[in-house]
Amino acid sequence: MLVRDAMSTVILTLGPAHTLRQAAALMSARRVGAAVVLDPDAGGIGILTERDILNCIGLGQNPDTEPTHAHTTTDVVFAAPTWSLERAACAMAHGGFRHLVVLDRGEVAGIVSVRDIIRCWVPDRQAAPVP
């Protein structure tokens, strides 16, 4: 199975000036754990995750004033839609993250998460054995 079979193609995109509170509200409403941040001044495509927001709050920073660009990962590891799920899982395990932005011909095509991969590997949660 390939990344294109597992990835989410409806992507939450944010700008660099959104506050972390705004980002958290949008992520919560869409039930996603990551958003793509489009910031041409900082290299183009970045990713903001729920962990980034949690780190901000844990450090005592104000999510109402902290902009996304200050917490966005810009050295993003990108996946291709044609990667195997195993390759994506290895990239996540090696990099210590749970989301990959998927690029197709230089354009954002989706996001794949650990949860997406697990859903493909264990498609029917009802039939999964409980240890």
Side-chain angles (χ1 to χ4, degrees), residues 2-4 7 77-84 87-88 100-105 109 112:
L2 302 177
V3 164
R4 77 169 143 245
M7 70 184 190
V77 174
F78 297 103
T82 56
W83 278 18
S84 69
R87 181 174 180 185
L100 285 170
V101 176
V102 182
L103 290 185
D104 190 10
R105 297 182 194 105
V112 66

Side-chain angles (χ1 to χ4, degrees), residues 8-75:
S8 300
T9 57
V10 178
I11 308 154
L12 175 60
T13 57
L14 302 171
H18 278 91
T19 67
L20 290 186
R21 170 106 41 221
Q22 291 170 323
L26 290 167
M27 290 166 68
S28 177
R30 299 232 184 137
R31 299 178 49 117
V32 296
V36 172
V37 179
L38 300 177
D39 186 356
D41 294 333
I45 301 169
I47 189 168
L48 180 78
T49 68
E50 55 199 357
R51 182 173 291 147
D52 298 321
I53 296 168
L54 184 64
N55 288 340
C56 164
I57 294 168
L59 291 171
Q61 297 171 326
N62 185 346
D64 290 315
T65 59
E66 284 295 313
T68 58
H69 75 83
H71 300 275
T72 298
T73 299
T74 55
D75 58 340

